[in-house]
Amino acid sequence: MSGIPFGTTDWSKIERTEHKGERGSAYWRTQDFGAIRVRMIEYTPGYVADHWCIKGHILFCIQGELHTELEDGRKFVLGPGMSYQVADNAEPHRSCTELGAKLFVVD
């Protein structure tokens, strides 16, 4: 990372945008720092992604439970305090949650 001066973010003051899934919704609060996007994401209970994602992320689960499936069939479950990381175009993935989840994502 370069060209990003020190700063703080009060996520409660960042506008929330809705992104509908196959079922449920994801609510994003997004900050862009040059080529780096940082998001606080809340998935509603029952959320199911409507696409396979090929974007790389570093994702940290703050609360709830997130189920992530890779295109090759592998499945992973994240709970609070757990994270995953994947590079751009490395392994297509999609997520869902029955309970809902709150995530911090850098991509």
Side-chain angles (χ1 to χ4, degrees), residues 2-76:
S2 62
I4 303 171
F6 181 87
T8 63
T9 301
D10 180 347
W11 290 99
S12 68
K13 295 188 178 181
I14 304 298
E15 180 184 353
R16 187 172 90 152
T17 59
E18 181 179 16
H19 302 264
K20 292 196 178 284
E22 187 176 297
R23 287 194 342 242
S25 293
Y27 293 96
W28 298 8
R29 296 178 192 270
T30 305
Q31 289 281 78
D32 292 302
F33 302 99
I36 298 170
R37 177 174 66 174
V38 181
R39 296 175 288 162
M40 189 72 71
I41 300 175
E42 293 181 55
Y43 288 136
T44 60
Y47 174 82
V48 176
D50 64 354
H51 66 285
W52 288 98
C53 182
I54 59 169
K55 178 78 175 139
H57 316 284
I58 298 171
L59 181 150
F60 179 76
C61 182
I62 297 169
Q63 70 184 59
E65 185 175 270
L66 184 72
H67 294 251
T68 300
E69 175 184 12
L70 302 186
E71 195 172 45
D72 66 12
R74 289 180 289 157
K75 296 179 180 179
F76 302 88

Side-chain angles (χ1 to χ4, degrees), residues 68-96:
T68 300
E69 175 184 12
L70 302 186
E71 195 172 45
D72 66 12
R74 289 180 289 157
K75 296 179 180 179
F76 302 88
V77 179
L78 296 183
M82 297 177 70
S83 65
Y84 76 67
Q85 53 285 327
V86 63
D88 287 342
N89 302 305
E91 296 174 281
H93 51 281
R94 64 180 173 188
S95 295
C96 65

